[in-house]
Amino acid sequence: MLLVATLLRDLRQPEYIHVLLNPLPVYGLLIGLIGLVLALILKSRRAQIATLALVFISSASAWPVYEFGEQGYDRVLSMTDEDGGAWLDEHMHRAEQLIWIFYVLVALSAIAIVAPIKWPKSSVPLAVAVVLLGAVTLGSGVYIGYAGGRVRHREFRNEPAPPKRSNTSTNTEVIPSEVEESRGLTQGYITGSFDSAALRSG
């Protein structure tokens, strides 16, 4: 019962589900693409449907991985060191920039399953298109995961951390001349003497 209670508690943590699911868009997609290539070589439509379904499921799994990753961002950030935070920001940035390609692959693989029912001759061209787009998507997944694997694993950090991306902008830039003027006025209040020219210019 303790094991079940621990598992249920873990499943309420979005960062845990993110780590649990994040191999699917990479390893699942890789297996699906290998199977699809073999299906094309064997000229088996049934094998194509099975492997296209695997590609569909694997690429669709990128959506919950992305959503749970965003939900767990703050908690993971609070547990990482400075370099880990920089890698976490980079990981999130890459995911935001490239998540769309997984959605395109979901749509294409669904079309490749359904369209040949009405247009049988389209099965091979569509399957080839899925293989090509799938290879690009797989590369994108590896690129995203490369940064994610360095968030908590210091032993994988074989290069300097990327520049930390700031999600907050500030409008508090101060011009050096304004700093000097402020210092002069503050000193004037302390000593009781003011620069008349500076006061007139104010």
Side-chain angles (χ1 to χ4, degrees):
M1 293 299 294
L2 179 60
L3 179 61
V4 174
T6 302
L7 179 60
L8 292 176
R9 182 191 62 194
D10 290 340
L11 290 176
R12 289 195 292 267
Q13 299 176 354
E15 65 274 12
Y16 178 82
I17 301 178
H18 174 77
V19 172
L20 192 66
L21 295 179
N22 68 23
L24 285 177
V26 177
Y27 296 122
L29 182 56
L30 176 61
I31 295 172
L33 291 177
I34 292 174
L36 184 55
V37 170
L38 293 175
L40 286 169
I41 294 174
L42 296 174
K43 299 180 180 179
S44 171
R45 176 58 186 165
R46 290 185 178 180
Q48 287 181 27
I49 293 174
T51 52
L52 283 168
L54 183 55
V55 170
F56 175 87
I57 294 170
S58 300
S59 53
S61 69
W63 175 74
V65 171
Y66 176 77
E67 289 297 323
F68 284 116
E70 281 202 326
Q71 292 176 26
Y73 173 86
D74 291 335
R75 182 177 171 87
V76 174
L77 182 62
S78 68
M79 296 185 292
T80 60
D81 56 14
E82 184 175 354
D83 286 348
W87 280 113
L88 180 62
D89 284 350
E90 182 66 19
H91 178 55
M92 186 174 181
H93 174 74
R94 293 180 183 186
E96 290 173 342
Q97 294 296 311
L98 297 172
I99 187 64
W100 64 269
I101 196 170
F102 288 90
Y103 300 153
V104 174
L105 183 59
V106 169
L108 182 60
S109 56
I111 292 171
I113 292 172
V114 176
I117 296 174
K118 186 172 184 180
W119 300 285
K121 292 184 178 179
S122 66
S123 63
V124 173
L126 285 172
V128 171
V130 169
V131 170
L132 295 177
L133 180 60
V136 176
T137 306
L138 180 62
S140 301
V142 172
Y143 178 68
I144 296 169
Y146 181 87
R150 282 151 180 75
V151 175
R152 297 283 290 164
H153 293 278
R154 297 182 182 182
E155 67 274 18
F156 297 156
R157 298 175 190 170
N158 299 319
E159 60 181 292
K164 187 170 177 61
R165 299 178 183 275
S166 175
N167 295 324
T168 57
S169 60
T170 177
N171 295 320
T172 58
E173 181 181 358
V174 181
I175 302 173
S177 61
E178 294 176 346
V179 173
E180 293 301 324
E181 182 179 348
S182 176
R183 287 176 180 172
L185 291 175
T186 302
Q187 184 65 24
Y189 281 115
I190 295 173
T191 62
S193 60
F194 295 89
D195 184 347
S196 58
L199 291 175
R200 285 196 300 271
S201 63

